Amino acid sequence: MCTACMCFEAFAAEIVAHRGENTQAPENTLPAFRAVFANGGTAIEGDFYLTDSGEMVCVHGEKELAAYSGVERRIASLTRADLSKLDMAATSPKFAKFSPTPPPTVEEVFAVIPRGGKIFFEIKNYPKGFFEKLESARKSAGLDESRVVLISFNFDALKDAKKRNPRYKCYFLYSAKSENGRLLPTPSEIAAKVRSAGLDGVDVGHWNLDEAYVRALKSEGLGVAVWTLNDVSKLPIFEKWGADFITTDKNAEFLRALRKK
Protein backbone atom coordinates (compact mmCIF):
# COMPACT_ATOMS: atom_id res chain seq x y z
CA MET A 1 0.00 0.00 0.00
CA CYS A 2 1.35 3.45 -0.84
CA THR A 3 2.25 5.63 2.14
CA ALA A 4 -0.22 8.36 1.18
CA CYS A 5 -3.04 5.77 1.24
CA MET A 6 -2.28 4.52 4.73
CA CYS A 7 -5.27 4.09 7.00
CA PHE A 8 -5.93 6.90 9.49
CA GLU A 9 -7.29 4.45 12.04
CA ALA A 10 -4.20 4.46 14.22
CA PHE A 11 -3.67 8.21 13.97
CA ALA A 12 -2.83 9.43 17.44
CA ALA A 13 -1.41 12.93 16.96
CA GLU A 14 -3.63 15.81 18.07
CA ILE A 15 -4.70 18.30 15.39
CA VAL A 16 -4.02 21.95 16.25
CA ALA A 17 -5.90 24.66 14.34
CA HIS A 18 -3.36 27.27 13.21
CA ARG A 19 -4.70 30.71 14.18
CA GLY A 20 -8.10 29.08 14.56
CA GLU A 21 -10.34 27.91 11.74
CA ASN A 22 -8.74 30.53 9.52
CA THR A 23 -10.38 29.45 6.26
CA GLN A 24 -13.81 30.02 7.81
CA ALA A 25 -13.24 33.26 9.74
CA PRO A 26 -10.47 35.88 10.09
CA GLU A 27 -7.40 34.34 11.67
CA ASN A 28 -6.71 34.81 15.37
CA THR A 29 -10.24 36.05 16.09
CA LEU A 30 -12.95 34.74 18.37
CA PRO A 31 -15.12 33.51 15.44
CA ALA A 32 -12.16 31.52 14.12
CA PHE A 33 -11.46 29.96 17.51
CA ARG A 34 -15.10 29.17 18.23
CA ALA A 35 -15.40 27.48 14.83
CA VAL A 36 -12.63 25.03 15.71
CA PHE A 37 -14.51 23.68 18.71
CA ALA A 38 -17.85 23.79 16.88
CA ASN A 39 -16.27 21.59 14.20
CA GLY A 40 -15.19 19.06 16.80
CA GLY A 41 -11.57 20.18 17.17
CA THR A 42 -9.77 20.10 20.50
CA ALA A 43 -6.84 22.51 20.11
CA ILE A 44 -6.26 26.01 18.78
CA GLU A 45 -3.06 27.97 18.15
CA GLY A 46 -2.82 31.72 18.64
CA ASP A 47 -0.19 34.47 18.70
CA PHE A 48 0.11 36.89 21.62
CA TYR A 49 1.75 40.25 22.26
CA LEU A 50 1.81 42.32 25.41
CA THR A 51 1.21 45.98 24.56
CA ASP A 52 2.79 48.97 26.24
CA SER A 53 -0.53 49.66 27.97
CA GLY A 54 -0.66 46.18 29.49
CA GLU A 55 -3.16 44.55 27.13
CA MET A 56 -2.36 41.09 25.82
CA VAL A 57 -3.67 40.89 22.26
CA CYS A 58 -3.99 37.97 19.85
CA VAL A 59 -2.63 38.85 16.41
CA HIS A 60 0.16 37.31 14.35
CA GLY A 61 1.99 40.50 13.46
CA GLU A 62 1.80 44.03 12.11
CA LYS A 63 1.68 42.76 8.53
CA GLU A 64 -1.41 40.69 9.30
CA LEU A 65 -2.99 43.50 11.32
CA ALA A 66 -2.72 45.78 8.30
CA ALA A 67 -3.84 43.11 5.82
CA TYR A 68 -7.00 42.20 7.75
CA SER A 69 -8.00 45.49 9.37
CA GLY A 70 -6.54 47.96 6.87
CA VAL A 71 -4.84 49.79 9.74
CA GLU A 72 -1.07 50.09 10.07
CA ARG A 73 -0.09 50.28 13.71
CA ARG A 74 2.70 49.11 15.93
CA ILE A 75 1.08 46.31 17.94
CA ALA A 76 2.81 47.29 21.16
CA SER A 77 1.22 50.76 20.92
CA LEU A 78 -2.37 49.49 20.89
CA THR A 79 -4.64 50.32 23.82
CA ARG A 80 -7.91 48.63 24.76
CA ALA A 81 -9.75 51.54 23.10
CA ASP A 82 -7.71 51.01 19.93
CA LEU A 83 -8.50 47.31 19.88
CA SER A 84 -12.24 47.93 20.12
CA LYS A 85 -12.10 50.09 16.98
CA LEU A 86 -10.16 47.63 14.82
CA ASP A 87 -12.02 45.23 12.52
CA MET A 88 -10.16 42.11 11.39
CA ALA A 89 -12.88 41.44 8.80
CA ALA A 90 -12.61 44.91 7.23
CA THR A 91 -10.68 44.05 4.06
CA SER A 92 -12.08 40.65 3.12
CA PRO A 93 -15.42 40.26 1.32
CA LYS A 94 -15.23 36.56 2.21
CA PHE A 95 -15.41 37.41 5.90
CA ALA A 96 -17.77 40.39 5.69
CA LYS A 97 -20.42 38.59 7.76
CA PHE A 98 -18.07 38.70 10.76
CA SER A 99 -17.61 42.47 10.62
CA PRO A 100 -16.85 44.06 13.00
CA THR A 101 -14.55 41.65 14.83
CA PRO A 102 -11.63 43.19 16.73
CA PRO A 103 -8.40 41.43 17.66
CA PRO A 104 -9.24 39.60 20.89
CA THR A 105 -7.53 39.94 24.23
CA VAL A 106 -6.04 36.92 25.98
CA GLU A 107 -8.94 36.93 28.42
CA GLU A 108 -11.43 36.73 25.56
CA VAL A 109 -9.55 33.89 23.87
CA PHE A 110 -9.24 31.87 27.06
CA ALA A 111 -12.97 32.30 27.67
CA VAL A 112 -13.93 30.41 24.48
CA ILE A 113 -11.83 27.31 25.25
CA PRO A 114 -14.27 24.60 26.37
CA ARG A 115 -13.69 21.91 28.95
CA GLY A 116 -11.15 19.51 27.46
CA GLY A 117 -9.90 22.05 24.92
CA LYS A 118 -6.41 23.48 24.82
CA ILE A 119 -4.39 26.23 23.24
CA PHE A 120 -0.93 26.33 21.72
CA PHE A 121 0.01 29.77 22.97
CA GLU A 122 2.71 31.42 20.86
CA ILE A 123 4.75 34.04 22.70
CA LYS A 124 5.50 36.76 20.11
CA ASN A 125 7.14 39.39 22.29
CA TYR A 126 8.25 39.01 25.87
CA PRO A 127 8.53 42.36 27.64
CA LYS A 128 8.48 42.78 31.39
CA GLY A 129 5.10 41.75 32.72
CA PHE A 130 4.26 39.27 29.95
CA PHE A 131 4.41 36.17 32.13
CA GLU A 132 2.47 37.81 34.94
CA LYS A 133 -0.29 38.80 32.51
CA LEU A 134 -0.45 35.27 31.11
CA GLU A 135 -0.71 33.75 34.58
CA SER A 136 -3.37 36.21 35.68
CA ALA A 137 -5.52 35.55 32.59
CA ARG A 138 -5.12 31.78 32.84
CA LYS A 139 -6.08 31.67 36.49
CA SER A 140 -9.05 33.98 35.97
CA ALA A 141 -10.30 31.70 33.19
CA GLY A 142 -9.90 28.63 35.39
CA LEU A 143 -7.54 26.95 32.93
CA ASP A 144 -5.10 24.39 34.25
CA GLU A 145 -1.55 24.70 32.92
CA SER A 146 -2.01 21.39 31.09
CA ARG A 147 -4.41 23.14 28.72
CA VAL A 148 -1.94 25.89 27.74
CA VAL A 149 1.09 24.75 25.73
CA LEU A 150 3.66 27.54 25.39
CA ILE A 151 5.48 27.79 22.06
CA SER A 152 7.90 30.38 20.75
CA PHE A 153 10.86 31.07 18.50
CA ASN A 154 12.15 33.08 21.48
CA PHE A 155 14.15 30.49 23.39
CA ASP A 156 14.88 32.80 26.31
CA ALA A 157 11.17 33.56 26.75
CA LEU A 158 10.36 29.85 27.02
CA LYS A 159 13.28 29.31 29.37
CA ASP A 160 12.03 32.06 31.66
CA ALA A 161 8.41 30.88 31.56
CA LYS A 162 9.43 27.28 32.33
CA LYS A 163 11.54 28.43 35.26
CA ARG A 164 8.69 30.48 36.67
CA ASN A 165 6.09 27.75 36.30
CA PRO A 166 7.47 24.29 35.45
CA ARG A 167 3.93 22.93 35.07
CA TYR A 168 3.65 24.50 31.61
CA LYS A 169 4.59 22.33 28.65
CA CYS A 170 7.02 24.42 26.58
CA TYR A 171 7.90 23.63 22.94
CA PHE A 172 10.65 25.47 21.07
CA LEU A 173 9.69 26.61 17.56
CA TYR A 174 12.21 26.23 14.76
CA SER A 175 12.65 24.86 11.24
CA ALA A 176 15.25 22.35 10.09
CA LYS A 177 17.49 23.40 7.20
CA SER A 178 18.96 21.02 4.67
CA GLU A 179 22.70 21.50 4.24
CA ASN A 180 24.95 19.09 2.38
CA GLY A 181 22.47 16.27 2.72
CA ARG A 182 21.94 16.79 6.46
CA LEU A 183 19.13 18.42 8.41
CA LEU A 184 20.39 21.08 10.81
CA PRO A 185 20.30 21.56 13.67
CA THR A 186 20.72 17.85 14.27
CA PRO A 187 18.30 16.14 16.66
CA SER A 188 21.03 15.79 19.27
CA GLU A 189 21.93 19.48 18.97
CA ILE A 190 18.35 20.69 19.34
CA ALA A 191 17.72 18.21 22.15
CA ALA A 192 20.71 19.52 24.09
CA LYS A 193 19.45 23.08 23.67
CA VAL A 194 15.92 22.20 24.76
CA ARG A 195 17.06 20.17 27.76
CA SER A 196 19.38 22.97 28.90
CA ALA A 197 16.28 25.03 29.69
CA GLY A 198 14.14 22.17 30.94
CA LEU A 199 11.75 22.48 28.01
CA ASP A 200 9.49 19.63 26.98
CA GLY A 201 9.81 19.43 23.22
CA VAL A 202 10.02 21.08 19.84
CA ASP A 203 7.56 22.49 17.34
CA VAL A 204 9.32 22.11 14.00
CA GLY A 205 8.32 23.20 10.50
CA HIS A 206 7.24 20.20 8.42
CA TRP A 207 9.38 21.23 5.43
CA ASN A 208 12.40 19.00 4.78
CA LEU A 209 11.54 16.58 7.59
CA ASP A 210 12.04 12.86 7.12
CA GLU A 211 11.36 9.79 9.22
CA ALA A 212 14.89 9.48 10.57
CA TYR A 213 14.88 13.07 11.83
CA VAL A 214 11.50 12.85 13.59
CA ARG A 215 12.28 9.47 15.12
CA ALA A 216 15.62 10.79 16.36
CA LEU A 217 13.87 13.70 18.07
CA LYS A 218 11.54 11.22 19.76
CA SER A 219 14.44 8.99 20.79
CA GLU A 220 15.92 12.02 22.55
CA GLY A 221 12.82 12.06 24.74
CA LEU A 222 11.29 15.17 23.18
CA GLY A 223 7.66 15.84 22.49
CA VAL A 224 7.31 16.64 18.78
CA ALA A 225 4.84 19.04 17.22
CA VAL A 226 4.91 19.83 13.49
CA TRP A 227 3.83 23.06 11.79
CA THR A 228 2.08 24.00 9.43
CA LEU A 229 0.99 20.88 7.51
CA ASN A 230 -1.82 21.44 5.01
CA ASP A 231 -1.63 18.29 2.89
CA VAL A 232 -4.10 15.88 4.47
CA SER A 233 -2.53 12.87 2.71
CA LYS A 234 0.61 13.37 4.82
CA LEU A 235 -1.18 13.07 8.16
CA PRO A 236 -0.65 9.31 8.53
CA ILE A 237 2.96 9.70 7.43
CA PHE A 238 3.80 12.05 10.28
CA GLU A 239 1.82 9.90 12.69
CA LYS A 240 3.86 6.87 11.65
CA TRP A 241 7.01 8.86 12.29
CA GLY A 242 5.82 9.67 15.82
CA ALA A 243 4.58 13.28 15.76
CA ASP A 244 2.50 14.17 18.82
CA PHE A 245 0.81 17.27 17.40
CA ILE A 246 0.08 18.49 13.87
CA THR A 247 -0.67 22.19 13.32
CA THR A 248 -2.69 23.00 10.20
CA ASP A 249 -4.55 25.79 8.44
CA LYS A 250 -7.11 23.20 7.33
CA ASN A 251 -8.43 21.92 10.62
CA ALA A 252 -11.97 21.16 9.38
CA GLU A 253 -10.64 19.24 6.37
CA PHE A 254 -8.28 17.20 8.52
CA LEU A 255 -11.01 16.36 11.00
CA ARG A 256 -13.31 15.21 8.18
CA ALA A 257 -10.56 12.94 6.88
CA LEU A 258 -10.10 11.38 10.28
CA ARG A 259 -13.83 10.75 10.66
CA LYS A 260 -13.86 8.87 7.35
CA LYS A 261 -11.17 6.42 8.44
Side-chain angles (χ1 to χ4, degrees), residues 27-253:
E27 66 176 42
N28 276 322
T29 64
L30 296 183
F33 294 138
R34 290 191 183 105
V36 173
F37 301 116
N39 289 336
T42 58
I44 58 176
E45 184 269 353
D47 309 281
F48 294 87
Y49 290 83
L50 184 66
T51 70
D52 296 339
S53 64
E55 297 296 333
M56 187 169 281
V57 59
C58 185
V59 62
H60 185 263
E62 286 156 9
K63 177 181 177 181
E64 288 77 13
L65 179 67
Y68 281 86
S69 74
V71 176
E72 295 187 5
R73 284 287 300 273
R74 188 172 65 91
I75 293 174
S77 73
L78 296 172
T79 64
R80 181 172 286 270
D82 294 329
L83 294 176
S84 68
K85 296 174 184 176
L86 292 170
D87 181 7
M88 298 300 281
T91 64
S92 174
K94 175 182 177 181
F95 297 139
K97 66 180 179 180
F98 296 107
S99 183
T101 183
T105 63
V106 64
E107 293 87 356
E108 291 170 327
V109 175
F110 282 176
V112 306
I113 301 174
R115 184 182 299 274
K118 70 176 59 166
I119 180 169
F120 272 57
F121 185 103
E122 184 171 346
I123 299 171
K124 298 296 287 187
N125 69 346
Y126 200 70
K128 183 178 179 179
F130 188 104
F131 183 80
E132 290 80 2
K133 181 70 172 180
L134 164 61
E135 283 286 73
S136 175
R138 180 187 61 77
K139 292 175 182 177
S140 294
L143 291 177
D144 183 81
E145 291 96 338
S146 64
R147 297 169 63 194
V148 182
V149 180
L150 302 183
I151 62 174
S152 187
F153 291 99
N154 185 334
F155 181 79
D156 290 335
L158 289 176
K159 181 178 180 179
D160 182 73
K162 188 67 172 179
K163 181 178 180 180
R164 291 181 182 227
N165 188 342
R167 290 184 294 276
Y168 281 115
K169 295 293 186 182
C170 295
Y171 280 49
F172 179 54
L173 281 165
Y174 77 104
S175 58
K177 309 295 184 182
S178 180
E179 295 184 15
N180 299 318
R182 300 177 68 210
L183 289 178
L184 300 175
T186 67
S188 59
E189 288 170 342
I190 200 69
K193 181 181 180 75
V194 166
R195 283 197 293 263
S196 73
L199 307 186
D200 303 280
V202 295
D203 197 345
V204 57
H206 78 275
W207 307 276
N208 299 321
L209 296 185
D210 56 29
E211 182 172 8
Y213 192 89
V214 176
R215 287 189 179 278
L217 291 173
K218 295 292 292 184
S219 71
E220 293 281 355
L222 302 180
V224 176
V226 176
W227 59 273
T228 301
L229 182 69
N230 292 328
D231 184 348
V232 70
S233 72
K234 293 183 179 179
L235 263 173
I237 298 173
F238 279 91
E239 189 276 337
K240 176 177 176 288
W241 294 352
D244 300 296
F245 302 96
I246 302 290
T247 300
T248 180
D249 290 311
K250 298 184 177 182
N251 180 70
E253 179 182 340

